């Protein structure tokens, strides 16, 4: 089959793509930014890239005629609090308009369980998208899922953040709401089983595990799997705004995503039917088993995808190329050059920077900077990194975004996504000079007016020893203390 995969760089898309290729399909990957996609990981004859943004008013793109099946995995949940439904509807409209010019016979849409009488804006928008997709010439199958549990999923990472960090929790009242989680493996099994199966045409299906749990029960069962003792108290007086701030500061989620999640978590998200079980015979994974499987992936450093690596329209740039060239004029720079004592060790250090490893000098200052960024509505340090020793262009790395990650050329470039009165880059490059290897570490800041200049001068004393200490430790032969 020829399959169109939207959201190919997203959490579900990255999990789905290898399975579809393994099944022998030819995949057309729809991406907002093809520079973020590593095509070399996949067979050249089975994958084609199409750069298109369905949130643009006029995408001006054509899709291949020979598409058989299209997966619709687009959503704007983490990018906005306002005009949420409008954005989702616009993307679906553009998708249908372009898809109708092809020979596509089947659309598969992963939506959310929305059986409550009163729905959040997020769940209303998912229902609206279903209505729009039903206007396509191709038959539509909608799979409605609640919380998806798997390494790297937003829901799992939020549960993980809360439970691992807080022995005693004073929580919002919505932790008493019920949900029916599903393991990512079961989601992928359903998605890869139904293409062009006419039994699923023009129907919707609720998908979930056999467990119906409150969010409080999910936290406690997570703690049980991890061997942790946790005490949870709920307060009915916490407003949705306070609940959103609570979720935002405790976890690695962005504030827009926190707001949309809180609004949805106040509603019971439980399957109204599970007729798909009679049509597809798969092993339904329990919630606790899904948590255990997720941790196996994390411990093996084998997390295939993470919600944190997605770039949305709220980001300052839409293409990595927009910031790949560091400006030379009107900037401040901190340049450190160090002789490399052990080439492989230095490369390994650079490629493991951030996340649990830290920043190789004065980690406490980096943590303070991350906390201040959170206070100002930024991403903070809690995103960490997806892999301990692997970095790819487009990945999130604490409050940075990876712009260039080329191990052969020994070069790593990061672009700041923290709240700043300007723009910032951090670059590491190893070159050979007179038979010796030299690490050049450059921090670049382009100020935005007088406030930006004042910011740079105010942090210069910290940069003096933080950046020098970091560069010195990166080139050391021994493990840092």
């Amino acid at each position: 089959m020829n399959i169109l995969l939207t959201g190919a760089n997203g959490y579900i898309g990255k999990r789905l793509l290898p399975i579809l290729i393994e099944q022998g399909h030819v995949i057309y990957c729809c991406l907002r930014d093809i520079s973020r996609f590593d095509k070399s990981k996949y067979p050249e004859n089975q994958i084609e890239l199409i750069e298109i943004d369905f949130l643009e008013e006029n995408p001006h793109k054509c899709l291949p005629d020979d598409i058989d099946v299209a997966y619709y995995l687009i959503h704007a949940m983490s990018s906005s609090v306002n005009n949420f439904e409008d954005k989702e509807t616009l993307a679906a409209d553009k998708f249908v308009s372009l898809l109708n010019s092809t020979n596509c016979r089947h659309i598969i849409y992963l939506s959310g369980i929305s059986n409550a009488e009163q729905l959040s804006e997020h769940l209303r928008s998912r229902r609206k998208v279903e209505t729009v997709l039903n206007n396509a010439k191709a038959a539509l199958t909608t799979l409605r899922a609640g919380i998806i549990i798997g390494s790297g999923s937003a829901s799992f990472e939020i549960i993980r953040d809360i439970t691992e960090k807080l022995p005693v929790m004073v929580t919002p009242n919505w932790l008493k709401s019920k949900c029916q989680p599903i393991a990512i493996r079961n989601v992928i099994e359903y998605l890869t089983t139904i293409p062009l199966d006419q039994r699923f045409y023009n129907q919707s299906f609720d998908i979930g595990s056999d467990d119906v749990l409150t969010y409080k029960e999910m936290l406690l069962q997570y703690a049980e799997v991890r061997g942790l003792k946790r005490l949870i108290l709920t307060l009915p007086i916490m407003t949705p705004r306070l609940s959103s701030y609570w979720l935002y500061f405790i976890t690695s989620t962005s504030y827009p995503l926190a707001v949309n999640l809180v609004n949805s978590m106040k509603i019971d998200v439980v399957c109204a039917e599970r007729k798909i079980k009679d049509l597809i015979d798969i092993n339904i994974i329990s919630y606790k088993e899904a948590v255990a499987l997720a941790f196996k992936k994390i411990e093996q450093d084998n997390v295939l995808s993470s919600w944190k690596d997605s770039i949305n329209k709220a980001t300052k740039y839409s293409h990595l190329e927009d910031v790949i060239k560091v400006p030379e004029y009107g900037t401040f720079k901190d340049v450190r050059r160090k002789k490399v004592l052990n080439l492989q060790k230095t490369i390994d250090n650079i490629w493991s920077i951030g996340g649990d490893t830290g920043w190789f000098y004065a980690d406490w200052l980096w943590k303070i900077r991350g906390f201040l960024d959170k206070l100002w509505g930024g991403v903070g340090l809690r995103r960490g990194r997806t892999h301990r020793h692997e970095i790819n262009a487009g990945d999130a790395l604490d409050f940075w975004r990876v712009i260039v990650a080329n191990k052969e050329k020994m070069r790593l470039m990061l672009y700041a996504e923290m709240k700043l009165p300007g723009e910032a880059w951090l670059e590491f490059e190893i070159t050979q000079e007179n038979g010796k290897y030299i690490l050049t570490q450059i921090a670049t800041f382009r100020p935005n007016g007088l406030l930006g200049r004042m910011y740079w001068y105010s942090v210069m004393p910290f940069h003096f020893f933080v950046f020098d200490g970091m560069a010195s430790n990166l080139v050391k032969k021994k493990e840092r203390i």
Side-chain angles (χ1 to χ4, degrees):
M1 280 186 279
N2 293 334
I3 295 176
L4 181 74
L5 179 62
T6 63
N9 254 343
Y11 176 71
I12 299 294
K14 282 185 176 179
R15 303 293 178 109
L16 188 58
L17 180 57
I19 307 300
L20 295 175
I21 287 176
E22 188 179 314
Q23 291 177 345
H25 306 302
V26 174
I27 315 299
Y28 295 99
C29 294
C30 273
L31 303 149
R32 280 195 301 212
D33 186 357
I34 60 174
S35 67
R36 293 183 55 228
F37 189 89
D38 187 0
K39 191 176 178 180
S40 65
K41 293 180 178 180
Y42 307 101
E44 190 173 337
N45 63 337
Q46 282 187 260
I47 193 165
E48 294 290 338
L49 305 185
I50 303 171
E51 188 169 73
I52 184 170
D53 186 347
F54 290 105
L55 287 173
E56 289 181 0
E57 288 290 340
N58 297 295
H60 297 301
K61 294 283 183 179
C62 291
L63 298 177
D65 292 334
D66 58 348
I67 295 169
D68 299 303
V69 175
Y71 284 95
Y72 191 79
L73 304 176
I74 298 171
H75 64 85
M77 187 174 179
S78 62
S79 63
S80 175
V81 176
N82 300 314
N83 301 321
F84 189 84
E85 190 171 330
D86 293 341
K87 290 182 178 180
E88 299 256 303
T89 303
L90 172 64
D93 274 331
K94 297 302 177 186
F95 172 80
V96 169
S97 177
L98 291 172
L99 196 70
N100 278 344
S101 64
T102 74
N103 297 319
C104 182
R105 291 176 281 162
H106 193 190
I107 300 170
I108 300 169
Y109 172 43
L110 182 60
S111 183
I113 293 176
S114 50
N115 298 317
E117 290 185 9
Q118 291 189 339
L119 299 175
S120 65
E121 185 179 0
H122 159 231
L123 293 175
R124 283 200 310 271
S125 70
R126 293 294 175 95
R127 277 297 182 99
K128 182 68 177 293
V129 168
E130 287 183 40
T131 302
V132 174
L133 295 179
N134 264 316
N135 294 327
K137 293 191 299 184
L140 173 66
T141 300
T142 301
L143 299 182
R144 297 173 180 160
I147 284 184
I148 296 175
I149 303 298
S151 56
S153 79
S155 302
F156 174 78
E157 294 299 336
I158 287 169
I159 292 168
R160 179 185 177 190
D161 275 348
I162 293 172
T163 315
E164 298 280 351
K165 293 173 183 175
L166 302 176
V168 179
M169 307 175 212
V170 180
T171 63
N173 205 39
W174 48 255
L175 256 73
K176 297 178 181 178
S177 299
K178 293 180 180 179
C179 61
Q180 198 161 354
I182 184 169
I184 181 62
R185 296 190 185 194
N186 286 157
V187 174
I188 299 302
E189 284 178 296
Y190 283 133
L191 287 171
T192 54
T193 302
I194 64 177
L196 295 186
D197 188 331
Q198 295 187 21
R199 296 178 300 167
F200 300 94
Y201 281 11
N202 300 314
Q203 293 190 72
S204 61
F205 301 87
D206 289 352
I207 58 174
S209 67
D210 296 330
D211 300 317
V212 178
L213 306 167
T214 64
Y215 292 103
K216 180 178 179 178
E217 289 170 335
M218 290 177 68
L219 295 175
L220 291 173
Q221 288 194 19
Y222 173 98
E224 188 180 334
V225 172
R226 294 284 290 148
L228 304 170
K229 291 185 178 181
R230 294 295 181 257
L231 176 63
I232 302 177
L233 305 172
T234 56
L235 288 180
I237 59 173
M238 289 187 76
T239 65
R241 181 180 289 273
L242 284 175
S243 295
S244 300
Y245 280 122
W246 178 82
L247 198 63
Y248 169 64
F249 281 112
I250 295 299
T251 72
S252 57
T253 183
S254 65
Y255 182 70
L257 181 56
V259 172
N260 292 320
L261 283 172
V262 166
N263 289 335
S264 294
M265 285 174 169
K266 293 184 294 183
I267 299 163
D268 288 344
V269 182
V270 178
C271 298
E273 48 76 24
R274 295 177 69 201
K275 57 189 177 185
I276 197 168
K277 288 183 65 180
D278 298 327
L279 300 172
I280 300 177
D281 183 22
I282 64 172
N283 175 40
I284 301 297
I285 298 171
S286 70
Y287 170 71
K288 290 172 72 172
E289 185 182 356
V291 170
L293 288 170
F295 262 95
K296 281 186 180 179
K297 290 290 184 183
I298 293 168
E299 289 164 358
Q300 295 167 2
D301 197 23
N302 191 27
V303 180
L304 293 177
S305 62
S306 173
W307 71 274
K308 293 177 285 190
D309 293 334
S310 64
I311 296 178
N312 55 55
K313 296 292 283 187
T315 312
K316 294 178 184 177
Y317 55 92
S318 58
H319 290 69
L320 297 186
E321 287 93 340
D322 293 344
V323 290
I324 200 168
K325 188 175 182 181
V326 180
E328 292 294 328
Y329 300 100
T331 63
F332 297 106
K333 290 182 182 289
D334 183 287
V335 181
R336 307 286 166 173
R337 288 169 55 83
K338 303 289 180 181
K339 179 183 174 182
V340 174
L341 303 177
N342 182 309
L343 179 61
Q344 188 57 53
K345 179 60 183 172
T346 301
I347 293 172
D348 291 343
N349 285 343
I350 293 170
W351 250 251
S352 65
I353 202 165
D356 293 336
T357 303
W359 290 86
F360 285 83
Y361 190 82
D363 281 349
W364 62 277
L365 280 175
W366 287 93
K367 290 176 181 177
I368 290 173
R369 184 63 183 88
F371 176 73
L372 292 175
D373 191 52
K374 272 279 189 181
L375 287 179
W376 284 100
V379 295
L381 290 178
R382 290 198 179 103
R383 291 191 308 189
R385 49 183 292 161
T386 303
H387 300 276
R388 283 194 291 268
H389 306 293
E390 181 182 336
I391 302 177
N392 297 298
D395 285 358
L397 180 58
D398 290 341
F399 45 41
W400 302 91
R401 180 70 60 175
V402 181
I403 304 302
V404 176
N406 192 320
K407 236 177 186 178
E408 284 188 13
K409 295 184 178 180
M410 298 181 289
R411 183 178 178 226
L412 177 69
M413 183 193 291
L414 310 176
Y415 179 78
E417 291 188 323
M418 66 192 85
K419 293 288 185 179
L420 287 170
E423 295 179 283
W425 291 258
L426 182 59
E427 184 175 3
F428 307 89
E429 186 171 17
I430 299 174
T431 54
Q432 195 169 13
E433 301 175 15
N434 300 321
K436 298 178 181 178
Y437 288 102
I438 304 295
L439 168 66
T440 302
Q441 173 189 289
I442 305 174
T444 303
F445 181 69
R446 179 164 60 185
N448 185 7
L450 179 61
L451 182 61
R453 293 175 181 274
M454 292 174 61
Y455 169 82
W456 176 262
Y457 288 122
S458 69
V459 297
M460 271 185 66
F462 300 102
H463 285 173
F464 179 77
F465 62 87
V466 169
F467 286 140
D468 188 72
M470 180 168 64
S472 297
N473 284 337
L474 284 171
V475 299
K476 280 185 177 179
K477 287 184 179 180
K478 296 181 180 179
E479 299 285 345
R480 70 190 184 117
I481 299 175

